[in-house]
Amino acid sequence: MKIPTDVLVQCSQVGTLVLGSLGVWVAMLNQRRQLNAQMFITVTGRFQELLRLFPTEAWLANRSASQPVPPRSHEITDCTLYCLQLIADVYHLRQGRYISNRLWYAWEREIKHILEGRIFRREWESLEIEFSHNKHFLNYINELMGPERLTNAGSPAPRSA
């Protein structure tokens, strides 16, 4: 049985299109992974810079209930604001679908852990107004912080509506 030449040419053209499409898909997948890796490195670097600026006693008090809560200070408020701005940047990248689900879920676990801390809850009371232009972000942060906020005295208080 002999296959006509025009059928062989058409099959080879379809095969070429399939292989070309596969090559483009693999290239796009690799580019997305590289971009996610680059974002991870950049955001992690920014976070490390912020961590160096954050007063150690405040950071430890935020992470551990056994540490005493330091009094309010301009330095703690500024560092908290910088952290929240970084979280807002990452949040907006996520909303634009520039960050993969796997990377976002890894970051979100850490963001939630940080925001549930006593220092961030206390500072959020005064910094919330800085993000009032973006209701979606405000709702996101309030949701991550959980159902209770801390009052200035450090005890839990129900969230206002």
Side-chain angles (χ1 to χ4, degrees):
M1 175 171 158
K2 185 173 178 179
I3 300 175
T5 308
D6 60 332
V7 171
L8 284 175
V9 170
Q10 288 177 351
C11 286
S12 67
Q13 287 175 342
V14 169
T16 303
L17 285 173
V18 168
L19 284 175
S21 298
L22 183 63
V24 168
W25 180 77
V26 168
M28 289 176 62
L29 184 64
N30 282 336
Q31 181 184 19
R32 181 166 172 83
R33 291 179 61 151
Q34 287 176 334
L35 288 174
N36 274 291
Q38 186 176 1
M39 277 191 275
F40 178 79
I41 291 167
T42 301
V43 170
T44 301
R46 282 183 61 192
F47 181 73
Q48 291 299 322
E49 289 172 22
L50 289 173
L51 193 54
R52 280 192 283 281
L53 294 174
F54 217 97
T56 303
E57 68 279 358
W59 186 257
L60 292 175
N62 192 63
R63 302 289 264 185
S64 173
S66 66
Q67 298 291 321
V69 176
R72 286 184 182 269
S73 73
H74 189 66
E75 182 182 20
I76 292 172
T77 301
D78 285 350
C79 288
T80 305
L81 177 60
Y82 300 150
C83 286
L84 289 166
Q85 287 172 334
L86 177 60
I87 292 168
D89 291 345
V90 173
Y91 173 82
H92 293 301
L93 286 172
R94 171 63 180 160
Q95 295 304 307
R97 297 188 176 175
Y98 292 103
I99 296 175
S100 70
N101 288 341
R102 289 179 62 194
L103 184 56
W104 173 249
Y105 295 137
W107 277 340
E108 190 175 46
R109 279 192 307 271
E110 186 61 25
I111 289 169
K112 182 173 175 44
H113 186 66
I114 290 168
L115 292 177
E116 288 175 336
R118 299 176 295 167
I119 300 298
F120 275 79
R121 285 175 180 261
R122 179 186 76 186
E123 297 298 323
W124 180 244
E125 297 294 325
S126 62
L127 294 174
E128 187 173 7
I129 191 74
E130 296 294 326
F131 300 94
S132 62
H133 62 281
N134 189 336
K135 297 294 182 200
H136 294 289
F137 182 69
L138 281 175
N139 291 338
Y140 174 72
I141 295 296
N142 286 324
E143 186 179 300
L144 284 184
M145 283 192 171
E148 295 181 343
R149 288 194 186 166
L150 296 179
T151 63
N152 290 339
S155 60
R159 209 190 253 182
S160 59

